[in-house]
């Protein structure tokens, strides 16, 4: 248990310094919260709650969260990670879709610098929500989240495209999702998310997380992924046509590019981009995708 000194109003408007217990969310604490609030974890919403404070502190360290940072947490759940972030001195915007969790979450984060918003992170009007919370610091907002596994890839790719102010990320995702995001060209794990991710920045798997630290235990393995989004794309071409070509190439990943990209580029155009038409999508690096996109746009 961590004690946080907060100012409280006494009777008569007097202010006094009084320790307020901030409880870390261990397995028994989470069970107790769920019981008191009549909650059970929703599989559909990917609710696997973290119940190991030492791991949470490690996540906060790996996320490089510092005093005064503005952190966006997607899917705070019962607040396991939210508390760790706030105790590290961050100001946290916690966006949670499940309204039934909110009373419990608000109870857990009471007295901390946490703003809870009930919204779907895939559909929320981010500019409005962020503006009414706090302006982006010069270095941008940090995103730290134990993501619901079924929406992790689209959520990350959509936010990389739409929210350049989300500059530094540390996310907990299913192992296959994390490895694909971070995969280098030419490797078996390389796929659509790897190339689209690399357009915006870099992704690196920075740790593995055992199933025992979740309540309930997930059936899949998990990894921590650090993402750094640059201020500009890493190659010079538009994103939409790049994404179209990448999806076409990997949509038929066993086929040579002259077949998989036939609807978009002729063999001559592929050669003009200095790419071998007999290569397969996973063999191309980001620069090669950029050259193909520029040839496609110049048609
Ligand atoms: N952060 C908590 C933790 O680590 O214990 C909970 C993580 S749990 C894996 C994922 C959380 O995301 C759940 O609380 C779930 O309700 C929430 N969630 C699922 N889909 C969401 C969405 N589209 N937008 C916002 N939150 C979502």
């Amino acid at each position: 248990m961590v004690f946080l000194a907060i100012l409280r109003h006494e009777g008569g408007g007097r202010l006094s310094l009084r320790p307020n217990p901030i409880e870390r969310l261990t397995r028994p604490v989470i069970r107790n919260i769920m019981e008191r609030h009549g909650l059970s974890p929703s599989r559909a919403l990917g609710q696997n709650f973290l119940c190991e404070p030492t791991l949470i502190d490690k996540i906060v360290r790996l996320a490089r969260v510092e005093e005064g940072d503005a952190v966006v947490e997607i899917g705070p759940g019962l607040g396991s990670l939210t508390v760790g972030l706030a105790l590290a001195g961050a100001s946290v915007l916690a966006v949670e879709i499940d309204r039934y969790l909110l009373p419990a979450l608000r109870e857990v984060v009471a007295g901390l610098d946490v703003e809870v918003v009930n919204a779907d992170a895939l559909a929320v009007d981010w500019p409005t929500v962020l503006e009414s919370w706090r302006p982006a610091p010069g270095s941008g907002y940090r995103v730290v989240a134990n993501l619901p596994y079924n929406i992790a890839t689209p959520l990350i790719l959509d936010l990389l495209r739409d929210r350049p102010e989300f500059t530094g990320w540390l996310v907990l995702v299913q192992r296959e999702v994390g490895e694909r995001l971070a995969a280098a060209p030419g490797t078996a794990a390389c796929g659509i998310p790897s190339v689209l991710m690399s357009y915006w920045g870099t992704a690196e798997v920075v740790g593995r997380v055992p199933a025992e630290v979740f309540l309930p235990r997930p059936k899949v393995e998990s990894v921590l992924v650090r993402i750094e989004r640059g201020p500009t794309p890493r190659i010079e071409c538009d994103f939409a046509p790049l994404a179209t070509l990448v999806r076409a190439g990997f949509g038929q990943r066993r086929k040579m590019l002259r077949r998989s990209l036939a609807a978009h580029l002729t063999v001559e155009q592929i050669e003009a981009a200095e790419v071998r038409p007999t290569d397969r999508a996973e063999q191309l690096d980001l620069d090669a995708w950029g050259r193909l996109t520029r040839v496609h746009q110049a048609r």
Side-chain angles (χ1 to χ4, degrees), residues 45-50 73-78 80-81 95-98 101 119-122 146-148 151:
L45 293 176
Q47 290 178 351
N48 299 97
F49 302 119
L50 284 169
E73 186 191 0
I74 294 163
L78 294 171
S80 308
L81 185 53
V95 179
E96 171 59 56
I97 197 171
D98 185 356
L101 287 186
D120 176 351
L122 285 167
N146 169 17
L147 289 176
I151 63 162

Side-chain angles (χ1 to χ4, degrees), residues 5-296:
I6 62 166
L7 285 173
R8 286 186 161 180
H9 279 279
E10 300 268 82
R14 227 159 23 94
L15 281 173
S16 73
L17 199 59
R18 180 188 283 181
N20 185 44
I22 299 293
E23 205 157 28
R24 303 303 301 265
L25 271 61
T26 56
R27 194 172 294 271
V29 171
I30 290 180
R31 284 218 176 92
N32 175 276
I33 293 171
M34 287 201 292
E35 205 176 294
R36 278 192 295 106
H37 287 267
L39 298 167
S40 54
S42 156
R43 272 184 74 148
L45 293 176
Q47 290 178 351
N48 299 97
F49 302 119
L50 284 169
C51 55
E52 181 50 71
T54 52
L55 174 83
I56 288 160
D57 292 341
K58 180 179 166 190
I59 294 175
V60 172
R61 272 198 312 278
L62 286 170
R64 298 171 176 155
V65 169
E66 288 175 6
E67 181 87 36
D69 277 353
V71 173
V72 174
E73 186 191 0
I74 294 163
L78 294 171
S80 308
L81 185 53
T82 326
V83 168
L85 292 164
L87 289 177
S91 182
V92 185
L93 175 73
V95 179
E96 171 59 56
I97 197 171
D98 185 356
R99 68 188 164 97
Y100 297 108
L101 287 186
L102 297 188
L105 174 62
R106 292 210 162 97
E107 178 185 295
V108 167
V109 302
L112 297 174
D113 186 358
V114 176
E115 175 93 9
V116 176
V117 172
N118 180 208
D120 176 351
L122 285 167
V124 67
D125 178 355
W126 282 106
T128 304
V129 168
L130 292 167
E131 211 170 290
S132 64
W133 177 48
R134 52 179 283 176
S139 58
Y141 300 104
R142 299 203 147 267
V143 179
V144 184
N146 169 17
L147 289 176
Y149 289 174
N150 53 343
I151 63 162
T153 303
L155 183 72
I156 292 169
L157 292 177
D158 283 3
L159 290 179
L160 284 170
R161 182 194 59 206
D162 299 338
R163 302 266 56 89
E165 66 272 47
F166 289 179
T167 49
W169 298 56
L170 199 283
V171 286
L172 184 48
V173 292
Q174 188 176 336
R175 182 164 71 86
E176 290 75 11
V177 167
E179 289 179 351
R180 217 180 250 305
L181 279 170
T187 61
C190 183
I192 297 168
S194 332
V195 182
L196 301 186
M197 167 70 244
S198 67
Y199 176 82
W200 301 113
T202 56
E204 184 190 358
V205 174
V206 291
R208 287 180 175 238
V209 176
E212 298 80 62
V213 302
F214 298 94
L215 180 72
R217 283 171 73 138
K219 291 199 176 70
V220 296
E221 291 178 66
S222 309
V223 291
L224 290 160
V225 180
R226 186 188 290 134
I227 296 171
E228 300 292 342
R229 188 205 194 279
T232 54
R234 294 171 66 215
I235 52 169
E236 271 181 40
C237 71
D238 292 340
F239 181 72
L242 170 88
T244 302
L245 291 185
V246 171
R247 288 184 204 286
F250 282 99
Q252 305 181 71
R253 64 184 295 150
R254 295 225 171 77
K255 292 199 174 149
M256 295 176 188
L257 294 166
R258 68 175 184 216
R259 295 285 298 280
S260 59
L261 298 184
H264 306 278
L265 292 165
T266 63
V267 167
E268 291 71 30
Q269 286 172 322
I270 295 173
E271 283 170 343
E274 296 170 47
V275 171
R276 281 193 300 266
T278 50
D279 274 355
R280 291 173 174 78
E282 68 199 34
Q283 292 172 267
L284 301 195
D285 63 13
L286 182 64
D287 286 332
W289 285 112
R291 292 196 300 277
L292 286 171
T293 306
R294 287 193 292 275
V295 167
H296 180 251

